[in-house]
């Protein structure tokens, strides 16, 4: 069911249960309530001036980034853009927010660097990538203490690394994991033990965070790059969407084939769980849709 139509293609989606936040190619940020269709509205104030790239949230803030590298830290309770953006310089490939128990609002990755965004609007550079590397995706645990970083190495290969985050200082642990392609989207499980990776190569993979080895689960369902991942409220399933417009639902730790369906024309760009039985997706056909799971 279509619950919201943007004027332009939607590039990213984040949600807090039934509260859905989306950003499109014009940089417009919109709030939609899946329980009350028709209540959606644009964020107020002066926002993005260049195309949107990514959006993330926790119960305190919505963090949205654009192609110029400007990032807005918008309070959830007002949805009013701050008077000025935070510049991370170099674009915005991906954003991840920890829970509100962490002492920072988000981490932002772009081609050149990884930046921590604090609630006071300050930005701290955590990593600067080698000239042969391009940042592609980032994820952070709920407590903000572990960060996963993916880069694409010159030639197209991927490198995945894990870091401990202590007051804005990163300490790498374990060896980096090499792959044929880089991650495009990543999320941690609720207990922080597993990292779920959606690759540019269309694979969904799962890694043990402590041992840093691939574990059972995932596979190939999409025929193009994975553009969105979301963990179910009970933590037992992960939903993914791809640039081919399909959505898939995977059982964690299972070799079973995922449930899949065509979700959007012109690609699917984001996915979230509104509740255990309802998914919300966004895509290049300018729409935000809900999906009810059936037994």
């Amino acid at each position: 069911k279509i619950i919201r139509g943007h004027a332009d293609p939607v590039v990213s989606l984040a949600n807090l249960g039934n509260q859905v936040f989306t950003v499109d190619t014009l940089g417009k940020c919109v709030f939609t309530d899946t329980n009350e269709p028709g209540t959606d509205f644009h964020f107020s104030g002066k926002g993005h001036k260049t195309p949107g790239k990514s959006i993330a949230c926790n119960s305190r803030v919505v963090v949205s980034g654009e192609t110029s590298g400007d990032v807005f830290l918008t309070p959830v309770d007002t949805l009013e853009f701050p008077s000025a953006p935070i510049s991370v310089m170099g674009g915005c490939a991906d954003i991840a927010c920890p829970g509100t128990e962490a002492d920072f609002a988000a981490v932002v990755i772009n081609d050149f660097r990884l930046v921590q965004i604090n609630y006071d609007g300050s930005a701290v550079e955590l990593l600067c990538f080698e000239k042969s590397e391009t940042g592609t995706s980032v994820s952070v645990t709920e407590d903000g203490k572990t960060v996963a970083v993916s880069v694409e190495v010159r030639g197209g290969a991927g490198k995945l690394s894990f870091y401990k985050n202590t007051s804005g200082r990163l300490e790498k642990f374990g060896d980096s994991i090499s792959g044929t392609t880089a991650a495009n989207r990543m999320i941690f499980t609720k207990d922080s033990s597993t990292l779920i990776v959606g690759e540019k190569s269309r694979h969904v993979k799962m890694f043990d965070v402590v041992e840093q080895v691939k574990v059972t689960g995932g596979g190939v369902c999409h025929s193009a790059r994975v553009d969105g991942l979301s963990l179910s409220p009970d933590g037992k399933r992960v939903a993914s969407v791809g640039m081919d417009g399909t959505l898939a639902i995977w059982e964690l730790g299972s070799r079973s084939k995922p449930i899949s369906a065509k979700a959007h024309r012109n690609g699917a760009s984001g996915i979230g769980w509104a509740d255990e039985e309802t998914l919300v997706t966004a895509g290049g056909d300018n729409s935000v849709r809900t999906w009810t799971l059936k037994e």
Side-chain angles (χ1 to χ4, degrees), residues 1-6 10-23 30-37 40 55 57 227-233 237-242 245-249 261-264 267-293:
K1 180 173 69 173
I2 296 176
I3 60 168
R4 168 73 199 183
H6 277 253
V10 184
V11 295
S12 188
L13 175 152
N15 74 300
L16 296 167
N18 60 289
Q19 299 178 73
V20 182
F21 310 101
T22 48
V23 62
V30 176
F31 163 78
T32 307
D33 189 331
T34 61
N35 290 341
E36 299 180 35
D40 46 277
I55 195 166
C57 66
D227 276 346
L229 292 170
S230 182
L231 193 68
S232 64
R237 295 167 291 174
V238 62
S240 60
V241 289
T246 60
L247 71 84
I249 302 171
K262 185 71 174 180
H264 293 268
S269 55
I271 190 164
W273 294 79
D275 55 50
E276 291 289 0
E277 304 302 328
T278 309
L279 285 165
V280 57
T281 62
D285 55 6
N286 304 5
S287 70
V288 178
R289 300 170 182 259
T290 57
W291 305 82
T292 301
L293 305 183

Side-chain angles (χ1 to χ4, degrees), residues 56 88 90 98 113 153 166 178 180 185 206 211 226 229 244 247 254:
V88 298
R113 58 184 60 84
V153 181
T166 306
S178 297
T180 54
R185 292 292 179 263
M206 303 181 190
E211 300 296 330
V226 180
L229 292 170
D244 61 354
L247 71 84
S254 172

Side-chain angles (χ1 to χ4, degrees), residues 19-217:
Q19 299 178 73
V20 182
F21 310 101
T22 48
V23 62
D24 63 28
T25 55
L26 276 187
K28 300 293 185 183
C29 291
V30 176
F31 163 78
T32 307
D33 189 331
T34 61
N35 290 341
E36 299 180 35
T39 59
D40 46 277
F41 61 89
H42 291 78
F43 288 22
S44 60
K46 295 182 179 180
H48 297 288
K49 296 180 179 179
T50 63
K53 286 292 290 182
S54 187
I55 195 166
C57 66
N58 59 28
S59 60
R60 184 172 172 184
V61 292
V62 180
V63 186
S64 55
E66 61 183 67
T67 55
S68 71
D70 281 353
V71 175
F72 283 88
L73 203 64
T74 306
V76 168
D77 58 354
T78 65
L79 296 183
E80 181 177 355
F81 286 117
S83 58
I86 304 159
S87 178
V88 298
M89 295 181 293
C92 176
D94 197 11
I95 302 172
C97 288
T100 53
E101 64 188 90
D103 59 4
F104 62 96
V107 282
V108 179
I109 194 169
N110 61 27
D111 288 357
F112 311 107
R113 58 184 60 84
L114 180 71
V115 178
Q116 176 175 296
I117 305 296
N118 296 318
Y119 283 110
D120 63 4
S122 61
V124 178
E125 183 176 274
L126 300 177
L127 293 173
C128 186
F129 304 129
E130 301 290 335
K131 291 183 178 180
S132 60
E133 299 174 341
T134 301
T136 62
S137 186
V138 65
S139 186
V140 62
T141 53
E142 188 76 8
D143 61 9
K145 295 180 180 180
T146 305
V147 180
V149 177
S150 172
V151 299
E152 185 173 83
V153 181
R154 189 176 297 155
K159 186 173 76 172
L160 173 62
S161 303
F162 294 91
Y163 297 86
K164 290 296 183 185
N165 183 14
T166 306
S167 301
R169 287 194 284 187
L170 295 189
E171 181 180 350
K172 184 180 176 184
F173 65 93
D175 297 325
S176 296
I177 300 170
S178 297
T180 54
T181 60
N184 194 54
R185 292 292 179 263
M186 304 188 294
I187 53 171
F188 283 96
T189 53
K190 293 181 181 298
D191 63 3
S192 306
S193 66
T194 304
L195 180 73
I196 304 159
V197 175
E199 293 187 331
K200 290 188 173 185
S201 66
R202 65 195 172 92
H203 290 79
V204 172
K205 296 180 180 178
M206 303 181 190
F207 294 91
D208 182 283
V209 174
V210 175
E211 300 296 330
Q212 297 178 4
V213 294
K214 188 173 177 295
V215 295
T216 300

